[in-house]
Amino acid sequence: MIRAGALLLATMLGGAALAAAPDTSLAPPARPQADAGLEAAGIVNSPELRPVSRPQSEQILAAAARPADLPLLGPASSLLPFARPDSLAEQVLFKRRKRRKGSVCGDIDIQGDSVGHVSGTLPGCGAKDAVRVREIAGVRLSQASLMTCNTARALKTWINREVETAFGRRNKVVSLRVAAHYACRTRNNRPGAKISEHGKGRAIDISGFTLASGETVTVLKGWQNRKTRKALKKIWRAACGPFGTVLGPEADRYHRDHFHLDVARHRGGSYCR
């Protein structure tokens, strides 16, 4: 009787325990095989494997870092669109240094080469400290011309004063057609005449003006053309002052097709004809 009562009590307690048990099991989920292997090795809870949080700035730098062996795909400036590229300033500086290196007569606007002393084949010919000029004030010469620095400076003054914009600011003169520069000869090549200023490197003859449009206005034809004669007369007149002698189509038959310009000085001032 006592044993039957005890059995009944145990059955009641077991049913209550089953009624109070949770629906889900409290046993930990099975770990993957890899975790089990790490646990067996005793390194699952190792401090070296714990994630370390990094500051946000370090995370940004890590994301932006590029491998050292990755080649550049373009200029460095393209990676920084908001930074002013140094290459532009370097290019301007490089061009200026190049022009300074190629300048003569101590003037960056006079581009050419130093020649030094030039001896002539006739008495009275020759030039000291001569230069061979290719470009003046941004205006090219059709041929490299031998002259003195005084002649080159007079050309620069003339170009800046009137020549460059004589045919309009939108159609500037970009080149001068040189008919003659240094030549050891007499005036107008006449036997027994005095040595020409050309024979001293102090003269240059200009026969035409090439414009930015590609057109070339010659002294010979342009002087007879109404559209260009006014500009050519302004050019001829502007040379009187920087040059001591200015001769044009109306001077004589020797100068019908060019302007003769030289830096010889006369007692009465510049001789312009």
Side-chain angles (χ1 to χ4, degrees):
M1 187 71 176
I2 295 174
R3 291 179 62 185
L7 181 59
L8 178 60
L9 179 60
T11 302
M12 294 176 64
L13 290 174
L18 291 174
D23 293 337
T24 59
S25 174
L26 296 179
R31 294 184 179 179
Q33 186 176 359
D35 287 354
L38 293 174
E39 183 176 7
I43 60 175
V44 170
N45 296 322
S46 175
E48 290 79 4
L49 299 180
R50 295 175 184 174
V52 179
S53 60
R54 290 186 294 179
Q56 186 176 5
S57 60
E58 293 184 10
Q59 295 177 11
I60 295 174
L61 292 175
R66 69 185 285 121
D69 59 344
L70 185 62
L72 290 174
L73 300 179
S77 59
S78 62
L79 303 177
L80 300 172
F82 299 104
R84 183 175 181 179
D86 293 336
S87 59
L88 180 60
E90 290 174 356
Q91 289 176 10
V92 173
L93 184 60
F94 174 77
K95 289 181 179 179
R96 185 168 182 83
R97 285 177 178 174
K98 186 177 180 180
R99 286 185 60 80
R100 178 68 68 184
K101 186 177 180 180
S103 65
V104 291
C105 302
D107 191 332
I108 195 172
D109 288 333
I110 304 176
Q111 295 289 303
D113 301 295
S114 178
V115 176
H117 179 73
V118 176
S119 57
T121 56
L122 295 176
C125 284
K128 295 181 180 179
D129 300 325
V131 292
R132 195 177 300 277
V133 179
R134 298 184 302 270
E135 176 185 306
I136 296 181
V139 176
R140 299 185 306 275
L141 303 185
S142 63
Q143 59 177 301
S145 302
L146 192 67
M147 63 188 77
T148 64
C149 282
N150 285 342
T151 309
R153 295 188 188 102
L155 269 174
K156 178 184 174 180
T157 301
W158 180 52
I159 290 170
N160 288 336
R161 176 181 292 185
E162 190 63 50
V163 173
E164 189 176 14
T165 58
F167 298 91
R169 295 186 178 278
R170 295 185 179 181
N171 198 18
K172 293 183 177 182
V173 171
V174 297
S175 178
L176 301 181
R177 180 180 290 183
V178 178
H181 50 101
Y182 174 82
C184 183
R185 60 175 176 83
T186 60
R187 294 180 181 178
N188 300 319
N189 290 305
R190 291 178 299 179
K194 293 182 178 180
I195 294 296
S196 168
E197 294 299 314
H198 285 282
K200 303 173 184 178
R202 301 197 296 185
I204 189 167
D205 291 348
I206 304 298
S207 62
F209 304 85
T210 300
L211 311 181
S213 63
E215 177 188 5
T216 297
V217 179
T218 65
V219 174
L220 180 62
K221 295 182 179 180
W223 198 265
Q224 306 300 326
N225 191 323
R226 289 183 179 181
K227 294 181 179 180
T228 55
R229 183 173 182 175
K230 183 178 180 180
L232 287 176
K233 281 201 168 186
K234 287 175 63 178
I235 290 174
W236 168 81
R237 193 178 299 112
C240 196
F243 293 96
T245 307
V246 180
L247 303 176
E250 297 180 4
D252 53 43
R253 63 188 179 90
Y254 297 105
H255 300 89
R256 291 178 56 196
D257 61 352
H258 68 274
F259 295 146
H260 167 87
L261 314 169
D262 69 51
V263 294
R265 294 302 170 185
H266 307 282
R267 293 182 179 180
S270 295
Y271 178 82
C272 304
R273 188 176 175 186

